[in-house]
C-alpha cells in the first residue's frame, strides 16, 4: 500500500453511466414492460434469468417463506432479529410529526408529514445478495409508516424456488409485505409502471448492477428513486495511539467489497503509516477475497502522511468519505471539525463493520464525495410533506393589498385579481357564501 | 372551459427533455466552462446575453445594489420584507437539531445535522424573473444555516447594469451573499465546477429555461440540484357553497402562468360547474395574459363533475396536484383524506396567490403528479446528515460474535476479521493502546 504525502495524493473517482448499448437495451426493456406488462416481464425473466414462469409464480408464497425459515440456521434468524431491533431503534428517533401553527386571527399554517404509500426494494441476486442491505432499505420505510413494501429479486440465486432463503427470511423479518422473483431492468420497470401481477410503487430503492441502475434513472420522475451508489469508501484518520492491525483490518474490510472500493489512511504518524502498510500486506495474504482487495488497495487505496491532525481533517473534508473512522484517544473532540462524512466511527472499537451490520445507523451512505450534500438513507427518504394554508377572512383583508402589489410587480394580473375580487366583494359585505 | 365527468377526463402530462441539439449544445457549454473557466464564461455571456464583460464585472458590486434600492418603490421593499418575515417564520419551524443517544455501556449513536456550505440560486432573466421565487429559494437555505448563498442571473433584463433592480433588492433582503451577472447553462456549469471568479457550490436550485434545466441534469452528482419543475397546476375541490367568481379567478391565476399550466375544478355540483365555466369565460376576456390563460384552460384545464365528494377526493389523489384548494364550509375535515397534494389551501379566503407570495409556506412545490413522492422546498433541502457511531469496548465484546456471523453469512471475511482481530486481542488483555 503506497505511503505518500497529501500533496502527492489525488483521489480517483469514476462514475458508471453505462455503454450506449447498455443504455439502448435498458430503454427497450423499460418500454416493453410499460407496453406489454407481465408478457414482457416473463419473457425477459426467461431470457436473462433462465426461469420459465407463469404469471401466478411471480409472487413468493407463504409456503415458500416458511420453507426458507426451515433452511436457515436459527442463529442467523436471531442475529437478524437483533440487528433489526437496533436498526429500528435508531431510525425511530428520526420520525417526525405533522405540525400546525394556529394564529389569533384564525389563520392556520402547517406542514403535513405522511409516509409514501407503496415502496419497491430491489435486492440483487447471486453473491451481491446481502440480507443486511434488505434490513437497511426496508426498516426506514417501515418506520416511516409505508403500508406497502414490495421486494423484487431475480430468481437465479439457487435456494428456495430460485431465491436465497437468507434473503427471504431477512425480508420477512424486516417487514416486507410482498415479494416477487423478478430482477434486472425489467423488475425496475414493473415497479415503476405496474403490470397485471405487480402494482406500481411510488419509490424504488436498493442496489443493483448497471442495468438496474440505468433502469432506475430511466423511470425517475414516474417514481422516485434512491441515489445510485458508487464503490464503497473508507477513510481512517488516526494518530500514533491507533493499533496498526485494527486499522489495517478495517481498511481491508472495505477493500474486499470491490476492485474500485477506496480505503485510505490519513495520519500525521510516519510510524503508524509504515506499520499499517506492513499489516495490510500481511492480512491481505490471508484474505479469501485477496485478489479484489489487492486491486482496490493498489488502485484506489492510499496511506497519506500529513503534517498535523488539522491538515488531516482538511484532507478528510476534501475527500468527503462514505465512512470515516477517527482513531485517537479523544475522537469526539474532532467531530465538530468534520464537515463532510456520511458516517463517522469513533475510537478503536467502532470498526466499520459494526455499522454495516449491527449498531443501528443505516449502512446505505453517500459515496463518491456526495456526502458534501447528501445523507445516509433514513426515515425522511420515505415520507412526503404537504403545506397547509387556511387563511382567515380577517387575515386576507389585512394582507390583500400587499399580495396584490407583489403579484402586479411580477406582471401576474390574474394572481392580483384573485385577491382583489375577494376584497371588493367583502367590502360590499360579501354574499354570505364566503363566510366560514 | 369543458365540463365533463370524471370518466371522460384524462390528465395530459408532458415533461420536456430537450431536443438532441439542445442536449448537445448544453454538453458543449458545460465541458467548455469546466475546461476554460472564466474565459468560456465570458465568451458565452457575450454570445447569448450580448454582454461584453471583464472578469471583474461579473460580480454585482455594493454600489450597484445601493443603486437598485434607489430604483424601486419603498412600498415594494416593505412588501418584500413583510413576505420574507412570514416565509422565515414558517421555515424556522422546520429546523432540526443533531441528536445523540447515549447508552449505559458507553456506546453513543447519533445523527449530526449540518447546513450545506455553499448554495447557488439561479434566477431567470426577462419576464420570468420573479422576486418572490428569490425569497422562496434563498430563505430556506438561510434558515438551514448555509453560510454562502450565491445568486446568478443573466445580464440581459435591463435595469441595474443588466439586472432587474427588483431581483437585486429581493436577493439582498432574502440574504444572498454574492450575486453574479451570468445565466444559462454556462452559469450552472460555473456554479458546479467553479471558475476563477465564481467558487463552486454544493447545490444548485432555482428555475430556468430548457438549457438551464438540461445543464442542471448534466452537473447532477458533481453537485446536488433541486427537482426540475413542470408547468404549474391547480385543482379546486369545491361544493355548491363555493363562490363561482372566486373559484374562476383562482383557476385563471394558475392558467395565466403558462400555456401548459393546468387548472381543474372538481365538484359534485353541476350548478357550480356551469357557473364557474361562465365566470372563467367572463374573466378571461379581461385578463392581460388572456392568450396564455385561454390556451392553458382549453388544453389542460377541465371542470370535472363527480358523483360525490368521496369520488372528488379520489380524483384529487390520482391527480396529486401541485396546488389544491378545498372550498367547502368545513374543509379541514377533508384534509385527512387527501393523500397527494403539494400545498393544500382551505376555504374561500385561502386563494392560491396568498401562498405564492405571502403566507409563509414555500411556493416551490412538486408538479406533474410528483407530490405522490416529493415535497415542497424546505429547510431539509439545504442540510446534510452524518451518522455517528461510538461503540464501547464492552458493547463490541458483547455483540462481536453476532456481527461476525452476519458478515460471514455474506461471504465478507474481511468484515468478520476486522471484528475478530479485536475480540482476540482484547481477550489477550489488549495491548493498552486500544483502551479508551
Amino acid at each position: 500500500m503506497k505511503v505518500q504525502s497529501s500533496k502527492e495524493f489525488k483521489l480517483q473517482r469514476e462514475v458508471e453511466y453505462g455503454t450506449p448499448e447498455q443504455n439502448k437495451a435498458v430503454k427497450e426493456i423499460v418500454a416493453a414492460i410499460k407496453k406489454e406488462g407481465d408478457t414482457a416481464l416473463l419473457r425477459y425473466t426467461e431470457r436473462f434469468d433462465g426461469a420459465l414462469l407463469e404469471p401466478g409464480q411471480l409472487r413468493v408464497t407463504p409456503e415458500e417463506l416458511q420453507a426458507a425459515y426451515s433452511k436457515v440456521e436459527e442463529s442467523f434468524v436471531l442475529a437478524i432479529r437483533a440487528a433489526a431491533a437496533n436498526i429500528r431503534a435508531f431510525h425511530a428517533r428520526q420520525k417526525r410529526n405533522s405540525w400546525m401553527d394556529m394564529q389569533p386571527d384564525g389563520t392556520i399554517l402547517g406542514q403535513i408529514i405522511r409516509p409514501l404509500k407503496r415502496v419497491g426494494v430491489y435486492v440483487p441476486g447471486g453473491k451481491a445478495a446481502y440480507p443486511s442491505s434488505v434490513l437497511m432499505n426496508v426498516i426506514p420505510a417501515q418506520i416511516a409508516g409505508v403500508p406497502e413494501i414490495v421486494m423484487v429479486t431475480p430468481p437465479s440465486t439457487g435456494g428456495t424456488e430460485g431465491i436465497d432463503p437468507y434473503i427471504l427470511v431477512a425480508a420477512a423479518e424486516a417487514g416486507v409485505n410482498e415479494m416477487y422473483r423478478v430482477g434486472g431492468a425489467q423488475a425496475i420497470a414493473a415497479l415503476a409502471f405496474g403490470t397485471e401481477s405487480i402494482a406500481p410503487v411510488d419509490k424504488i430503492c436498493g442496489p443493483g448492477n448497471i442495468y438496474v441502475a440505468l433502469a432506475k434513472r430511466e423511470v425517475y420522475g414516474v417514481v422516485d428513486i434512491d441515489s445510485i451508489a458508487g464503490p464503497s469508501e473508507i477513510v481512517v484518520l488516526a494518530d500514533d495511539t491507533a493499533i496498526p492491525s485494527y486499522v489495517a483490518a478495517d481498511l481491508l474490510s472495505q477493500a474486499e467489497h470491490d476492485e474500485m472500493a477506496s480505503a485510505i489512511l490519513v495520519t500525521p504518524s510516519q510510524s503508524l503509516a509504515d506499520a499499517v502498510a506492513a499489516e495490510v500486506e500481511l492480512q491481505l495474504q490471508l484474505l479469501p477475497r485477496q485478489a479484489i482487495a489487492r486491486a482496490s488497495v493498489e488502485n484506489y487505496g492510499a496511506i497519506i502522511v500529513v503534517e498535523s491532525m488539522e491538515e488531516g481533517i482538511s484532507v478528510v473534508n476534501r475527500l468527503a468519505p462514505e465512512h470515516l473512522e477517527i482513531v485517537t484517544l479523544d475522537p469526539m473532540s474532532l467531530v465538530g471539525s468534520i464537515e463532510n462524512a456520511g458516517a463517522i466511527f469513533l475510537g478503536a472499537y467502532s470498526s466499520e463493520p459494526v455499522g454495516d451490520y449491527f449498531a443501528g445507523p443505516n449502512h446505505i451512505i453517500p459515496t463518491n464525495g456526495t456526502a458534501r450534500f447528501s445523507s445516509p438513507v433514513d426515515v425522511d427518504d420515505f415520507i412526503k410533506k404537504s403545506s397547509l394554508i387556511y387563511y382567515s377572512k380577517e387575515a386576507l383583508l389585512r394582507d390583500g393589498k400587499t399580495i396584490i402589489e407583489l403579484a402586479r410587480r411580477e406582471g401576474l394580473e390574474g394572481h392580483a385579481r384573485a385577491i382583489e375580487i375577494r376584497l371588493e366583494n367583502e367590502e360590499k359585505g360579501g354574499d354570505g357564501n364566503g363566510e366560514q
Side-chain angles (χ1 to χ4, degrees), chain A:
Chain A
M1 201 163 177
K2 297 181 292 296
V3 178
Q4 53 194 295
S5 81
S6 63
K7 286 118 203 92
E8 303 166 84
F9 176 73
K10 191 170 176 329
L11 183 67
Q12 302 174 49
R13 283 191 171 127
E14 294 168 28
V15 185
E16 263 197 308
Y17 291 108
T19 65
E21 296 66 31
Q22 289 169 326
N23 279 277
K24 183 163 171 297
V26 165
K27 281 179 194 297
E28 283 170 11
I29 293 167
V30 170
I33 298 290
K34 187 177 177 183
K35 185 157 168 292
E36 302 171 57
D38 279 350
T39 314
L41 188 56
L42 295 166
R43 190 169 69 239
Y44 289 118
T45 301
E46 181 180 4
R47 184 183 308 168
F48 297 125
D49 302 318
L52 183 51
L53 302 173
E54 300 292 319
Q57 300 173 303
L58 285 170
R59 185 165 178 173
V60 174
T61 65
E63 295 68 32
E64 292 173 277
L65 202 53
Q66 208 168 14
Y69 272 89
S70 69
K71 289 185 175 127
V72 305
E73 307 75 24
E74 196 197 353
S75 63
F76 171 77
V77 178
L78 296 177
I80 282 289
R81 282 182 187 159
N86 289 346
I87 297 164
R88 282 200 182 91
F90 185 84
H91 288 77
R93 296 284 310 264
Q94 298 166 336
K95 201 161 178 190
R96 289 186 289 167
N97 295 319
S98 301
W99 54 267
M100 281 203 270
D101 182 13
M102 307 199 164
Q103 295 167 11
D105 64 21
T107 292
I108 300 173
L109 302 177
Q111 186 177 51
I112 301 170
I113 296 180
R114 281 200 209 69
L116 302 186
K117 190 169 186 184
R118 186 170 167 90
V119 167
V121 177
Y122 188 92
V123 178
K127 288 218 179 317
Y130 293 142
S132 60
S133 295
V134 175
L135 301 186
M136 294 296 184
N137 274 296
V138 171
I139 290 174
Q142 188 197 39
I143 296 289
V146 176
E148 300 174 21
I149 305 175
V150 184
M151 180 179 81
V152 294
T153 189
S156 57
T157 60
T160 307
E161 306 297 329
I163 302 181
D164 178 353
Y166 294 92
I167 293 297
L168 290 179
V169 168
E173 292 295 329
V176 170
N177 313 97
E178 304 170 34
M179 310 176 191
Y180 297 93
R181 61 184 99 256
V182 287
Q186 61 273 21
I188 299 300
L191 289 172
F193 298 106
T195 70
E196 299 84 339
S197 302
I198 303 177
V201 301
D202 299 313
K203 178 167 185 163
I204 300 173
C205 52
N209 63 20
I210 183 68
Y211 294 96
V212 169
L214 294 175
K216 281 162 75 179
R217 279 215 193 82
E218 184 71 16
V219 300
Y220 176 58
V222 178
V223 297
D224 193 17
I225 61 170
D226 59 358
S227 59
I228 315 283
S232 192
E233 304 160 341
I234 185 170
V235 171
V236 179
L237 178 65
D239 62 19
D240 53 17
T241 65
I243 301 173
S245 62
Y246 292 9
V247 173
D250 291 357
L251 292 172
L252 290 175
S253 76
Q254 290 309 291
E256 77 171 346
H257 267 299
D258 180 342
E259 285 89 351
M260 284 174 65
S262 169
I264 296 169
L265 169 63
V266 177
T267 179
S269 164
Q270 185 67 50
S271 62
L272 181 73
D274 298 335
V276 169
E279 265 290 335
V280 164
E281 186 49 41
L282 211 69
Q283 295 185 25
L284 253 178
Q285 288 167 21
L286 307 170
L287 219 52
R289 295 165 67 96
Q290 176 178 173
I292 294 171
R294 189 175 291 280
S296 156
V297 163
E298 283 170 5
N299 298 323
Y300 298 95
I303 295 176
I304 305 172
V305 178
V306 289
E307 300 295 319
S308 62
M309 261 301 169
E310 293 59 43
E311 189 196 352
I313 287 163
S314 75
V315 169
V316 167
N317 284 329
R318 235 171 52 230
L319 294 174
E322 179 190 18
H323 306 99
L324 171 66
E325 290 185 1
I326 304 179
V327 190
T328 64
L329 293 186
D330 181 18
M332 190 64 90
S333 66
L334 298 180
V335 172
S337 57
I338 302 300
E339 291 175 6
N340 304 317
I344 305 173
F345 297 76
L346 301 176
Y349 302 103
S350 305
S351 176
E352 192 273 345
V354 170
D356 280 345
Y357 291 108
F358 202 75
N362 209 288
H363 79 198
I364 305 162
I365 305 171
T367 56
N368 239 322
T370 58
R372 265 172 43 244
F373 50 76
S374 54
S375 305
V377 165
D378 71 3
V379 168
D380 291 342
D381 293 308
F382 298 99
I383 59 131
K384 58 192 174 186
K385 307 162 203 160
S386 302
S387 302
L388 192 72
I389 299 179
Y390 196 161
Y391 231 54
S392 67
K393 178 176 173 177
E394 182 184 339
L396 187 70
L397 294 177
R398 181 193 62 219
D399 301 331
K401 288 194 168 18
T402 311
I403 298 168
I404 290 169
E405 164 151 20
L406 290 167
R408 292 223 160 102
R409 163 58 44 210
E410 295 186 354
L412 295 173
E413 181 64 19
H415 286 61
R417 292 192 186 180
I419 305 302
E420 203 165 48
I421 195 170
R422 286 168 164 89
L423 298 188
E424 287 166 1
N425 190 38
E426 297 304 332
E427 277 154 15
K428 288 197 264 98
D431 57 10
N433 293 357
E435 308 300 335
Q436 301 295 296

